[in-house]
Amino acid sequence: MAEKKINETPIEKIRNIGIIAHIDAGKTTTTERILYYTGRTYKIGEVHEGAATMDWMEQERERGITITSAATTTFWLNHRINIIDTPGHLDFTAEVERSLRVLDGVVMVLDASEGVQAQTEKVSRQADKYHISRIIFVNKIDKVGADYVNTLKEVRDRLGLPAVAYNIPIGTESDFKGVIDLLTRKALIWNGEELGAKFEAFDVDSCELVDEAHRKMTEELRQELIEKIAETDDELLNDYLEGNEIEIDRLKASMRKAVVALKLVPVLTGTSLRNKGVQPLLDAVVEYLPSPAEVVHTKGINPNTDEEVERHPNINDPFSALAFKVQTDPYVGRLTYFRVYSGKIKSGDTVFNPTKNIKERIGRILLMHANEREEVSELTAGNIGAAVGLKDTVTSETMCDPANPVILETIQFPDPVISLAIEPKSKSDQERLGEGLRKLQEEDPTFKLQTNPDTGQSLISGMGELHLEIMVDRLLREFKVEANVGRPQVAFREAITQPVKNVRGQYIRQSGGRGQYGDVMIDVEPLDRGMGREFVNKIKGGAIPNEFINPIEKGVMEALDSGVLGGYPVQDVRIILVDGSYHDVDSSEIAFKLAGSIATREGVKQAKPVLLEPIMELEVVTPQEFMGDIIGDLSGKRGQIVTTNQRGNAVSIVAQVPLAEMFGYATNLRSMTQGRASFMLVPSHYQIVPTNITEKIVANAA
């Protein structure tokens, strides 16, 4: 791929897209076909054979799952498509979150026999958060139990998306032959040769493979599609209501505007594994998903003035970019992936990181194709690449023109829900363990490392058992560290249940000579679940000088980091500083920090603290005969059944279960159902732990 072609692609012909879905819906398989049909690769790598191009990590190929988001660039119909293939497993949700932050559109892949699954809902909500245009690809239409119409209905009902059928299958399961394009009324039939690269288009009325039922369905859904498009365009609506024939080009132009504005979501179908339906999907990506030029202007904050500023997607605006991923590459060292929002950047340029107030020099600029690299001299607005040479810039930080600073909207990541104790097996592993953990933490914002100050024990935290298992495996393979790990621990939290007023905290040491004097009074109030922590300063009349307010806040937050029940962080609480006193000579920052900490701990004790535990949303898909056993087992785990739905020959059970009860559930479920059931866990919310269980947890934490 010539660099000239890359940098001369007009911004209107760039598409930055992600492939997102529930685990096993076929994201990576779909991406492999896209790369093959666009000529980016010359053979198709299969996930089940451990040969997928985008699953380049050893662990991905061994397990047949995507762990890390992989970026690539390809071309279709003279358009440049930057693709990020994301993981489907919830343990790697950070990969989806950071990818969606820098994308303009996504292809959501659904399994035609499973419909909308738990993780589908999660990734759809993530896409909603970033206002991302979507195309839905109903994959595996050749699979037993495939149901296109029911999947379309579920997308509307469960995801709340304005989904419209864009093409429909000719036959399902083993009878699947091709698709019908509703707008053009063309039947696209794949002949099964050359890996599905060739297909023929027939008029619906003259195609022998299309029966009367399919012709009738085509007309009904075509009218529905045209009506939905017309409803988004007043001029088109008038023509439609007057019964005028509307040209296909006008319909497509209006549909494009509607998809970009999130008013419509076209639904296409096919089977990636059988190489059918991918080319129409590529056509739809080019025709309907937005270019960087069509996305609402990027807003940011000028760090010098705190005023809101805009950056426009053209090369004449000052340079601005967002780092969204850091990766340690064994050949080139530290790679920082970034999306250019405005201006352009060249190799050797100096960029400013306003978050850390530092300047860094970009050594080389690379285009990534999974783990392969292609060097370019510059990157312009709308493009995605990776930089070599940035030592301090990490995920979610802005890079910009030093003369025109801006801080772009950051990426919010969920808190870890599970922890493991980890220690090196030998003294020689000690140093490598620290270095390896530091690099992994740099790469993954949901992977945390902390040291217990009392025991000196290192704790690693993440989004699930699989997440931590992969991280420990990477320590061994990439950093050659042998480590012992303990039993998983749940990330409990503490909260308060009632307000308390006028709690005093004093740190006074006056016994001759210069002493220490800090005196504060606070109110403590509970907040709604998920609101976090607040510190409010209501000091009036100079009862405490301004220079001591920040130290008090630091003392408050440090005290909240280790609660009064089991030493777990306190959340959903507001601390209000209402009064206090100081000494002209003896008052100091450390005295007020300690006074703030003492008052907070006392206030939390008085406010009837409770323990909170993470509750997971569990979806189990099982054959009917095991339903009773599974529900009985979940009841024994303090689980609450939310819904049960028939799905073909299987039953979907959705329940809410405490994470503490779910360790080892994969093995448990396998033995209960002879390995025929599958499940997915999604963090839902925090909930108060029953009193009898709180006592056990607190006793173990002591």
Side-chain angles (χ1 to χ4, degrees), residues 79-136:
H79 285 66
R80 180 179 175 194
I81 305 176
N82 296 318
I83 303 171
I84 298 182
D85 175 32
T86 65
H89 202 290
L90 187 90
D91 283 23
F92 310 106
T93 187
E95 293 289 332
V96 182
E97 190 77 29
R98 61 175 158 204
S99 300
L100 289 176
R101 170 63 182 84
V102 297
L103 294 171
D104 305 319
V106 293
V107 174
M108 283 182 65
V109 182
L110 273 63
D111 184 320
S113 67
E114 302 287 350
V116 173
Q117 296 167 275
Q119 182 66 355
T120 315
E121 293 187 61
K122 171 75 176 174
V123 295
S124 185
R125 286 196 296 270
Q126 286 175 296
D128 287 340
K129 184 164 77 173
Y130 294 111
H131 309 291
I132 293 178
S133 302
R134 266 156 275 188
I135 287 174
I136 289 175

Side-chain angles (χ1 to χ4, degrees), residues 55-86:
D55 285 349
W56 57 270
M57 289 175 68
E58 285 181 46
Q59 293 95 328
E60 292 178 315
R61 295 188 166 185
E62 287 172 5
R63 296 165 188 261
I65 61 170
T66 302
I67 292 169
T68 182
S69 54
T72 190
T73 296
T74 191
F75 288 86
W76 185 256
L77 301 179
N78 293 319
H79 285 66
R80 180 179 175 194
I81 305 176
N82 296 318
I83 303 171
I84 298 182
D85 175 32
T86 65

Side-chain angles (χ1 to χ4, degrees), residues 240-255:
Y240 176 74
L241 293 174
E242 290 172 9
N244 298 331
E245 186 66 30
I246 304 170
E247 300 88 355
I248 299 296
D249 287 348
R250 276 188 70 197
L251 287 169
K252 287 189 172 184
S254 291
M255 185 162 184

Side-chain angles (χ1 to χ4, degrees), residues 503-546:
V503 181
R504 181 152 245 125
Q506 294 179 320
Y507 184 78
I508 301 173
R509 301 288 185 272
Q510 294 172 307
S511 56
R514 174 145 190 180
Q516 297 284 356
Y517 186 98
D519 173 32
V520 303
M521 185 179 285
I522 61 170
D523 292 345
V524 182
E525 297 177 356
L527 296 175
D528 292 338
R529 288 287 165 268
M531 294 291 289
R533 304 167 173 175
E534 284 183 24
F535 174 81
V536 181
N537 174 24
K538 286 193 177 176
I539 290 293
K540 291 177 183 171
I544 299 175
N546 277 339

